[in-house]
Amino acid sequence: MGSNFAQALSAVLLIASMVAISTANKDWQHGNYTGWGFNHGPYHLNKTNGPSKIVVGGSENWHYGFNYADWSLKNGPFYVQDTLVFKYNPPNNTTPPHSVYMLPNLWSFINCDLSQARMVGSPTQGGGDGVQFVLKSWQPYYFACGEHNGTHCKDGMMRFFVFPKLRGWHY
């Protein structure tokens, strides 16, 4: 029973953290801590010009051993209608295969359980322009590599989540 309680508490804390991160004010370094009454000038909160294409991992692309959870926290916020681009080399004698799966819920994400996940990109689709995924709605999205029975997800840090913000809303 204690183990179930600890897991439930961990899940609640992770969800609370996700919501806090998705609504965080990124303008604190400019002295605009809340945005209350300060939505003018060069530091207008949440001012974006439209959907962006974001390469997952930046110049690192999608590969084993890179911390994608850290990357997503440092490269947010993400917005509804932004496109995530997963780029990875197709498998060969020196490159292991990678794929992209969208996990259905937080529990699957925490446990790297791919049994109900949906494939977004197969091992051969990551080359060239990569696999593109549009964040179509305001909800958490959980991504992971599905290769080697979830080992890339569990041990290789090839998993992350985003909770896109609504463009133009002020929190």
Side-chain angles (χ1 to χ4, degrees), residues 9-21:
L9 181 60
S10 295
V12 168
L13 290 173
L14 184 60
I15 290 171
S17 297
M18 288 171 40
V19 171
I21 289 166

Side-chain angles (χ1 to χ4, degrees), residues 107-152:
W107 183 255
S108 297
F109 176 78
I110 291 170
N111 295 295
C112 287
D113 178 4
L114 298 157
S115 63
Q116 296 178 4
R118 180 174 64 90
M119 182 181 275
V120 174
S122 73
T124 59
Q125 290 179 302
D129 292 334
V131 175
Q132 298 190 17
F133 184 88
V134 178
L135 303 171
K136 293 182 180 178
S137 60
W138 186 67
Q139 68 177 51
Y141 291 89
Y142 308 99
F143 297 99
C145 178
E147 298 307 303
H148 301 285
N149 290 332
T151 301
H152 285 193

Side-chain angles (χ1 to χ4, degrees), residues 3 13 18 22 35 40 47 54-55 93 106 114 119 122 140 144 153:
S3 174
L13 290 173
M18 288 171 40
S22 73
H40 59 324
K47 184 176 181 182
I54 302 135
V55 176
N93 291 339
L106 179 62
L114 298 157
M119 182 181 275
S122 73
C153 175

Side-chain angles (χ1 to χ4, degrees), residues 1-138:
M1 171 137 163
S3 174
N4 288 340
F5 176 75
Q7 289 176 339
L9 181 60
S10 295
V12 168
L13 290 173
L14 184 60
I15 290 171
S17 297
M18 288 171 40
V19 171
I21 289 166
S22 73
T23 60
N25 180 354
K26 300 292 185 180
D27 277 344
W28 65 269
Q29 70 268 25
H30 302 294
N32 190 3
Y33 300 106
T34 64
W36 290 73
F38 300 104
N39 292 333
H40 59 324
Y43 304 115
H44 187 280
L45 294 176
N46 296 329
K47 184 176 181 182
T48 57
N49 294 328
S52 299
K53 280 194 176 183
I54 302 135
V55 176
V56 174
S59 62
E60 291 286 328
N61 292 332
W62 186 239
H63 69 84
Y64 186 88
F66 183 78
N67 189 337
Y68 292 95
D70 187 50
W71 171 85
S72 69
L73 293 174
K74 289 179 179 177
N75 288 276
F78 300 94
Y79 293 93
V80 172
Q81 296 305 319
D82 281 352
T83 300
L84 298 179
V85 181
F86 294 84
K87 292 185 174 188
Y88 47 95
N89 294 325
N92 58 41
N93 291 339
T94 59
T95 303
H98 298 299
S99 58
V100 182
Y101 280 81
M102 189 171 68
L103 299 137
N105 54 48
L106 179 62
W107 183 255
S108 297
F109 176 78
I110 291 170
N111 295 295
C112 287
D113 178 4
L114 298 157
S115 63
Q116 296 178 4
R118 180 174 64 90
M119 182 181 275
V120 174
S122 73
T124 59
Q125 290 179 302
D129 292 334
V131 175
Q132 298 190 17
F133 184 88
V134 178
L135 303 171
K136 293 182 180 178
S137 60
W138 186 67

